[in-house]
């Protein structure tokens, strides 16, 4: 009887916590529900605050495709995000691998300078980067989009910190067996740091996919626009079709959600520094 009373008391104490969590979960999910609801309603209903599911999803989608080059924008966003993600995790992992497993005092000083770069806002570097890439004739190209972001101090720091859990004894045994440093990196380091790679891939893909300001500067022709640019163009007219706009927002949101939900377990392990 005493144990049952204790359990019931504990459950009663947890009721406020459950209520708080339910409220927070509702507030987190509601914007996503409203986005879906708005995508299925007419612009007039969305403006009036209707939150129930409508029947104009297909019409809004047809208007979006008819008035905008949706598939080209989606293709551009996928191309830019995937290429940037692959190159960024490769380059930043190489840098983190080198900084931690081959570190000395000079490398630590270089790394400290690298961390200072995190304090420089992106806007401050846009004009010189634009002039540099314009001189190199890389405007409206995938390289113009990804070059400023394929090596970021944050990802290098994350790989370096997680590399501290990498077993050095295994690397020394591999050297004795005759493996070169590059083979150690590709055959041993990358498989054992897959959680960190997953976390870095999620962060880089989401940042590249949602990037708006830099593509707006570097992409000067309509054929090079990305999904965030297309959505901004839809909402920037004299009259806005909110139903069509929310369909575009829904299309823009789905890829990042899929990437996160597929890699959420590895993302959590990578952020906490897990090594397998």
């Amino acid at each position: 009887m005493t144990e049952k009373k204790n359990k019931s008391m504990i459950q009663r104490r947890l009721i406020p916590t459950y209520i708080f969590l339910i409220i927070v979960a509702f507030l987190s999910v509601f914007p996503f529900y409203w986005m879906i609801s708005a995508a299925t309603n007419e612009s007039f209903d969305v403006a009036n605050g209707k939150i129930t599911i409508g029947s104009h999803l297909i019409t809004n989608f047809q208007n979006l495709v008819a008035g905008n080059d949706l598939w080209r924008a989606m293709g551009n966003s996928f191309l830019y995000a995937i290429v940037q993600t692959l190159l960024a995790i490769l380059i930043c992992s190489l840098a983190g691998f080198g900084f931690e497993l081959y570190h000395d005092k000079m490398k630590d000083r270089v790394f400290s300078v690298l961390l200072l770069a995190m304090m420089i806002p992106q806007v401050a570097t846009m004009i010189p980067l634009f002039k540099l890439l314009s001189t190199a004739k890389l405007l409206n190209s995938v390289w113009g989009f990804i070059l400023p972001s394929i090596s970021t101090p944050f990802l290098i720091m994350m790989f370096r910190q997680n590399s501290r859990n990498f077993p050095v004894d295994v690397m020394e045994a591999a050297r004795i067996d005759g493996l070169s440093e590059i083979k150690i990196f590709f055959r041993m380091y990358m498989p054992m740091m897959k959680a960190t790679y997953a976390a870095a891939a999620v962060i880089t893909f989401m940042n590249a996919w949602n990037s708006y300001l830099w593509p707006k500067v570097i992409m000067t022709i309509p054929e090079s626009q990305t999904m965030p640019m297309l959505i901004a163009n839809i909402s920037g007219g004299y009259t806005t079709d909110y139903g069509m706009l929310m369909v575009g927002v829904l299309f823009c949101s789905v890829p990042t959600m899929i990437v996160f939900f597929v890699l959420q377990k590895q993302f959590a392990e990578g952020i906490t520094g897990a090594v397998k």
Side-chain angles (χ1 to χ4, degrees), residues 212 216 228-241 245:
Y212 171 74
K216 189 68 175 179
M229 295 171 65
L230 182 142
I231 292 171
N233 292 337
I234 294 175
S235 60
Y238 293 104
T239 59
T240 303
D241 187 337
L245 174 63

Side-chain angles (χ1 to χ4, degrees), residues 17-33:
T17 303
Y18 289 140
I19 294 174
F20 173 75
L21 292 176
I22 290 172
I23 294 173
V24 172
F26 174 78
L27 293 176
S28 301
V29 173
F30 180 77
F32 179 68
Y33 167 78

Side-chain angles (χ1 to χ4, degrees), residues 16 19 60 65 84 95-96 113 145 157 162 167 173 186 212 253:
I19 294 174
N60 291 332
V65 174
Q84 179 174 320
V113 174
F145 180 95
M157 179 185 67
N162 290 349
F186 283 105
Y212 171 74
S253 303

Side-chain angles (χ1 to χ4, degrees), residues 222-265:
E223 290 77 10
S224 300
Q225 72 174 352
T226 60
M227 282 299 297
M229 295 171 65
L230 182 142
I231 292 171
N233 292 337
I234 294 175
S235 60
Y238 293 104
T239 59
T240 303
D241 187 337
Y242 292 105
M244 180 179 68
L245 174 63
M246 297 313 295
V247 171
V249 174
L250 181 62
F251 265 82
C252 189
S253 303
V254 168
T256 55
M257 290 189 292
I258 292 174
V259 170
F260 180 77
F261 283 123
V262 170
L263 298 176
Q264 60 178 329
K265 182 179 178 181

Side-chain angles (χ1 to χ4, degrees), residues 166-206:
F166 184 77
V168 181
D169 295 340
V170 174
M171 187 170 67
E172 292 177 352
R175 288 172 180 166
I176 294 174
D177 290 339
L179 285 182
S180 63
E181 303 302 315
I182 195 67
K183 289 182 178 179
I184 291 174
F185 175 80
F186 283 105
R187 294 185 182 180
M188 303 184 65
Y189 179 84
M190 291 183 72
M192 297 182 70
M193 300 290 292
K194 60 182 181 180
T196 305
Y197 277 96
V202 171
I203 294 171
T204 307
F205 183 88
M206 294 180 69

Side-chain angles (χ1 to χ4, degrees), residues 1-12:
M1 294 294 293
T2 305
E3 292 181 359
K4 291 182 179 180
K5 289 182 178 179
N6 291 334
K7 288 181 179 179
S8 62
M9 290 178 62
I10 294 173
Q11 291 175 352
R12 290 175 183 175

